[in-house]
Amino acid sequence: MKYTEENKIVTLFNRKKIRPRIDKTQRLSSGDVPEIVHFMLPDGTEYPVDVTKDVTVGRVPSDDDPAVTIDLEPYDGHDLGVSRQHAMLKRIKDNLVLVDLGSSNGTFVNGHKAEAGERYNIMDGDTLTFSRLTLEVRFIKRNHR
């Protein structure tokens, strides 16, 4: 297969896989994003996160790094290639936006590579892979009485 900018070849475990870029035209709006978004962690734990503030995904930072909101170190983040400051999620109007922060091993949305520094709208049910560690995003809306 011919190498082009649209089809970047990524090697994992000595096997080549084509990772197409995300088609941003098909992901125009996330929809009604609640203030609390739930991340389904690899061990099945549901991890609620307040997305009214910026959310940083990574692993335990060194002394001079800013803190991370979602620490993937307990889920073998270091061994699976998660960077200390891997990606950021930000709620903008009714959208949840993901930006890869220049991670060493990449961020993937539903298996498609996210380019560092680009914005991607995240939707309910999306899978986010930080290097080789995958989480599922859930917009769980609770009825308030």
Side-chain angles (χ1 to χ4, degrees):
M1 175 163 277
K2 185 178 175 185
Y3 176 85
T4 65
E5 273 301 306
E6 281 77 41
N7 296 318
K8 294 190 179 198
I9 296 175
V10 177
T11 304
L12 294 174
F13 305 112
N14 296 322
R15 294 189 319 206
K16 292 183 180 177
K17 287 189 171 189
I18 301 300
R19 298 282 190 166
R21 290 173 126 172
I22 299 170
D23 181 359
K24 293 186 223 171
T25 61
Q26 294 181 7
R27 300 181 67 81
L28 298 177
S29 178
S30 297
D32 185 22
V33 179
E35 291 181 1
I36 304 293
V37 171
H38 296 258
F39 292 87
M40 307 313 238
L41 299 170
D43 67 354
T45 304
E46 184 179 307
Y47 190 87
V49 176
D50 180 356
V51 293
T52 61
K53 304 172 191 131
D54 293 352
V55 174
T56 306
V57 179
R59 52 189 181 83
V60 178
S62 59
D63 293 336
D64 54 346
D65 288 336
V68 294
T69 311
I70 300 176
D71 179 10
L72 297 176
E73 186 68 33
Y75 304 95
D76 296 325
H78 182 267
D79 293 338
L80 293 173
V82 176
S83 296
R84 292 186 184 280
Q85 301 287 312
H86 199 99
M88 177 175 281
L89 292 156
K90 185 176 187 90
R91 187 173 177 220
I92 302 174
K93 297 184 183 177
D94 281 335
N95 294 303
L96 183 62
V97 176
L98 174 125
V99 176
D100 179 275
L101 298 174
S103 63
S104 299
N105 297 306
T107 302
F108 303 86
V109 179
N110 298 324
H112 298 277
K113 185 166 178 40
E115 299 297 320
E118 293 288 323
R119 294 180 178 185
Y120 300 96
N121 286 335
I122 302 304
M123 298 180 202
D124 181 37
D126 280 349
T127 57
L128 305 179
T129 304
F130 305 99
S131 183
R132 296 185 315 272
L133 200 154
T134 301
L135 308 179
E136 185 177 344
V137 179
R138 289 286 178 200
F139 295 178
I140 298 173
K141 298 176 179 94
R142 308 273 192 227
N143 291 335
H144 297 287
R145 294 182 186 238

